[in-house]
Amino acid sequence: MSPRKGKRERKAPGIYADGAGFEAVVKHRRQRRSLRFPKTTTLADMQAWQRRQRALIDLGQPQELRAATLQDDI
């Protein structure tokens, strides 16, 4: 049985699944960043995003901007 929307299940450190997909969260050096991913995203992709965000925080750079695509709008 899949979890209901709104009820989160921890899949890995900082990665949570719910009925709508996944949320990856990074808490690093007093900053918190999060991003929603579709259900089809692999765990490795989400962990790579987390690593990139930690590196950007270490460099003092703003959050990475994602290019808007038609798939994001759907």
Side-chain angles (χ1 to χ4, degrees):
M1 184 164 115
S2 66
R4 295 174 306 182
K5 185 174 181 179
K7 183 169 174 77
R8 295 180 359 155
E9 178 184 348
R10 184 174 179 229
K11 295 295 185 182
I15 298 177
Y16 304 93
D18 61 21
F22 295 99
E23 179 181 20
V25 178
V26 172
K27 294 178 184 174
H28 187 64
R29 295 188 180 217
R30 296 183 156 188
Q31 290 190 30
R32 181 185 188 280
R33 297 180 182 182
S34 67
L35 183 65
R36 300 281 314 173
F37 290 93
K39 290 181 181 181
T40 57
T41 307
T42 64
L43 184 61
D45 289 341
M46 291 182 280
Q47 289 172 330
W49 177 85
Q50 287 177 317
R51 284 190 300 275
R52 283 192 310 272
Q53 292 308 307
R54 286 185 193 102
L56 288 172
I57 291 170
D58 286 339
L59 293 173
Q61 295 182 1
Q63 187 166 352
E64 179 174 76
L65 298 176
R66 290 178 48 172
T69 63
L70 181 58
Q71 182 178 0
D72 291 339
D73 292 340
I74 295 176

